[in-house]
Amino acid sequence: MAIRTWTWVVFLLLALLSPATPSCRAAEAPSPQPSPADDGLRTGYHFQPPKHWINGKNLKLAPRCNNVLIPPCSFCSLTSEERLINGRDRVLVRADPNGVMYYKGVYHLFYQYNPQGAVWGNIVWAHAVSTDLVDWVMLPPAIYPTAPFDVNGCWSGSATVLPDGTPVIMYTGIDGQNRQVQNVAYPKDLSDPYLREWVKPDYNPVIAPGPGTNATAFRDPTTAWQGPDGLWRLVIGTKDNHRGLAMLYRSRDFKQWAPANRALHSGDTGMWECPDFYPVTTSPAAAGGGGGTKHVLKVSLDLTRFEYYTFGEYDHATDTYVPDAALADGNDGLRYDYGNFYASKTFLDTAKQRRILWGWANESDSTDDDIRKDWAGVQAVPRKVWLSSDGKQLVQWPVAEIESLRGGHVNVTDKLVGAGQHFEVAGLASAAQADVEAAFQVADLDKAEPFEPAWRGTDAQAVCAARGADARGGVGPFGLWVLASDDREERTAVFFRVFKGGDGGKHVVLMCNDPSMSSQADNLYKPTFAAFVDVDIAQAGGKIALRTLVRGLLGLSE
Ligand code: DQQ
């Protein structure tokens, strides 16, 4: 066994517990049906319908209000019938976030959802609303199969707010021939800030797969943008054999759409799902002057279920997108997230002039287990996203509103922890729900073990698998065990490991989330996730900080 000589110090461990006292008036809240099983495993931070399958996200549920917060009490007037679709209240969950927008003081989250069970299928656009991105109210599904152009499902899409303030949804319908077509829907009543009812014009579909287009891989339209010529543009994900494509379409009236002669971008990475294309502002320093605009193109890779992005120059006149030369395109590129995060979508929050990113975490187990507990899938916490000041990558952080969930504070400072030691953070109101900020200082970086040449160019997950939470090294593993049982037989490790011998002599910092010990139950979904962290830990004096939102679900922190 290696002699363990390193030590680390926790400078600050601040665990802030949720929930704070909710502000809703419980007496007026409708009573949702509780989930029949395993409520203890449901999330506190993340958006999640009361039951069934989502691909999309989990909105926050507040225990003191029967697990659904009702901030504007006009929601309380919803009847139980209004929570049904077609007279059924069975709704399974899947969950790409769809058509997220801000309208008349209300945030709208639509998401892919199965109203009939906890496995993927029968897909509709479920709908939830919030005034603060924290407390959410479930509304009846907004878009569901009603017509030949979406009879087999209402798949992902986006919302665009037109210059006169009218929101329009563009979504993928699965038609009677199982072709993927793009349809529009408009609010029935623009004076309703909750936008409960949507109308699909008879002229749908507005975009059908043309000759040469793969009709079963043609989906997920982006939010549209208007060029200087007044034409609307949007991008649709597709593939040509193994080549993923972001197909560009143009329209003058949002009704008649024509394909551009060439794709906005493409890559040899299989089907591109859920593309997203949006501007970010560069800092004056990074732009070498007055700042400017870059455009981000994100694609969700169906083959790997990871999301990659580039950013670069977009010429509005020629509709040409050229990623910055320093950025790799494809599987070697920058990932949005190195955890469980897919089918994401951003929107511009016009209330606070920030761009917010939502994504779906596929929290599901075996089909049998999902059916038994009657839910699967959550929405990750909404994040603000922006370009780093050095212009090299995007930066994300949970929206500030999430901090309103912090309740009792627990502070731990100046803890010296030797190799093989641990200490317990006492005093948490709930170990299953905490917002943790920790700062570590490594005593002696010289003890770092060498970064093996075989790991060069490999995925961080492979290194984490080779050097997991139980493999002792020169510096690390150090970090947190979260959701640990009293005897620590069950625990999820969130930890760092430091190697020497990286590029330019820099240390390599590996961060892992290892839930392999999170439960002794069989057949659970317990993937290990990992990333190399872009920090110079030596220059930082051996210090590294971590924020993790712990919630009562197995094996997830973000
Ligand atoms: N989920 C939707 C599709 C999308 C995929 C169907 C991504 O539109 O491509 O539920 O998870």
Side-chain angles (χ1 to χ4, degrees), residues 247-265:
M247 292 284 298
L248 185 74
Y249 281 75
R250 299 189 190 92
S251 172
R252 184 157 299 284
D253 54 8
F254 238 89
K255 185 172 172 186
Q256 310 229 346
W257 292 84
N261 289 334
R262 54 186 160 72
L264 185 72
H265 202 49

Side-chain angles (χ1 to χ4, degrees), residues 24-25 28-32 47-50 58-62 65-79 82-83 106-111 126-141 194 196 358:
C24 71
R25 285 145 60 187
E28 294 182 50
S31 303
F47 174 79
Q48 185 177 36
N58 261 349
L59 300 182
K60 181 201 174 270
L61 305 177
C65 299
N66 294 325
N67 282 346
V68 175
L69 279 182
I70 313 291
C73 276
S74 45
F75 287 135
C76 303
S77 63
L78 289 178
T79 65
E82 286 179 292
R83 294 171 176 275
V106 178
Y107 293 101
H108 292 257
L109 170 65
F110 306 88
Y111 54 95
H127 187 190
V129 286
S130 170
T131 53
D132 61 5
L133 293 169
V134 174
D135 299 330
W136 292 87
V137 172
M138 313 291 174
L139 295 180
Y194 310 135
R196 279 175 272 212
W358 281 97

Side-chain angles (χ1 to χ4, degrees), residues 179-230:
R179 294 183 318 157
Q180 297 177 6
V181 300
Q182 319 312 321
N183 305 315
V184 289
Y186 289 86
K188 185 172 181 185
D189 176 7
L190 281 171
S191 70
D192 173 14
Y194 310 135
L195 299 172
R196 279 175 272 212
E197 290 184 81
W198 291 77
V199 177
K200 304 171 198 168
D202 289 340
Y203 56 72
N204 278 314
V206 293
I207 304 177
T213 301
N214 186 332
T216 56
F218 181 62
R219 56 184 181 267
D220 310 336
T222 61
T223 294
W225 68 96
Q226 222 169 359
D229 54 8

Side-chain angles (χ1 to χ4, degrees), residues 55 94 96 112 120 123 154-157 172 219-220 271 273-274 305 342-343 360:
N55 31 339
R94 207 190 171 195
D96 311 359
Q112 296 279 280
W120 188 85
I123 292 298
C154 299
W155 288 15
S156 287
T172 299
R219 56 184 181 267
D220 310 336
M271 172 66 188
E273 296 189 312
C274 303
R305 311 302 275 182
Y342 194 68
W360 162 49

Side-chain angles (χ1 to χ4, degrees), residues 278-284 286-287 290-296 385-389 391:
Y278 56 91
V280 287
T281 307
T282 59
S283 78
T293 302
K294 296 268 183 197
H295 274 75
V296 177
V385 58
W386 69 98
L387 191 63
S388 63
S389 54

Side-chain angles (χ1 to χ4, degrees), residues 433-446:
Q433 218 164 285
D435 182 342
V436 182
E437 291 183 3
F440 305 95
Q441 174 152 32
V442 174
D444 190 356
L445 283 172
D446 288 342

Side-chain angles (χ1 to χ4, degrees), residues 335-509:
R335 255 167 75 180
Y336 251 8
D337 191 289
Y338 291 83
N340 189 341
F341 192 82
Y342 194 68
S344 71
K345 176 129 341 236
T346 63
F347 77 104
L348 181 65
D349 174 9
T350 49
K352 296 195 173 168
Q353 290 306 317
R354 57 187 170 173
R355 185 156 287 273
I356 293 179
L357 170 66
W358 281 97
W360 162 49
N362 181 14
E363 272 294 306
S364 52
D365 295 310
S366 68
T367 301
D368 283 351
D369 281 345
D370 287 343
I371 290 171
R372 180 184 56 78
K373 70 184 197 286
D374 209 14
W375 67 267
V378 300
Q379 294 286 343
V381 165
R383 309 153 182 203
K384 183 177 163 180
V385 58
W386 69 98
L387 191 63
S388 63
S389 54
D390 64 6
K392 289 185 178 166
Q393 60 193 321
L394 293 175
V395 183
Q396 302 165 27
W397 198 248
V399 294
E401 287 89 334
I402 294 295
E403 287 160 35
S404 69
L405 293 172
R406 293 174 169 184
H409 292 207
V410 176
N411 294 295
V412 180
T413 53
D414 292 334
K415 276 273 186 189
L416 188 66
V417 187
Q421 297 178 344
H422 71 273
F423 70 92
E424 185 176 337
V425 179
L428 303 183
S430 159
Q433 218 164 285
D435 182 342
V436 182
E437 291 183 3
F440 305 95
Q441 174 152 32
V442 174
D444 190 356
L445 283 172
D446 288 342
K447 298 279 190 301
E449 61 195 311
F451 192 70
E452 290 187 17
W455 293 339
R456 283 191 190 283
T458 61
D459 188 86
Q461 250 167 279
V463 181
C464 190
R467 307 290 288 143
D470 293 323
R472 302 219 168 88
V475 178
F478 63 92
L480 306 171
W481 280 329
V482 298
L483 299 171
S485 59
D486 286 345
D487 59 7
R488 291 185 303 284
E489 289 292 307
E490 294 186 336
R491 59 187 191 259
T492 296
V494 182
F495 66 91
F496 296 104
R497 187 183 284 285
V498 182
F499 303 93
K500 59 185 162 200
D503 292 341
K506 262 175 54 174
H507 289 85
V508 178
V509 179

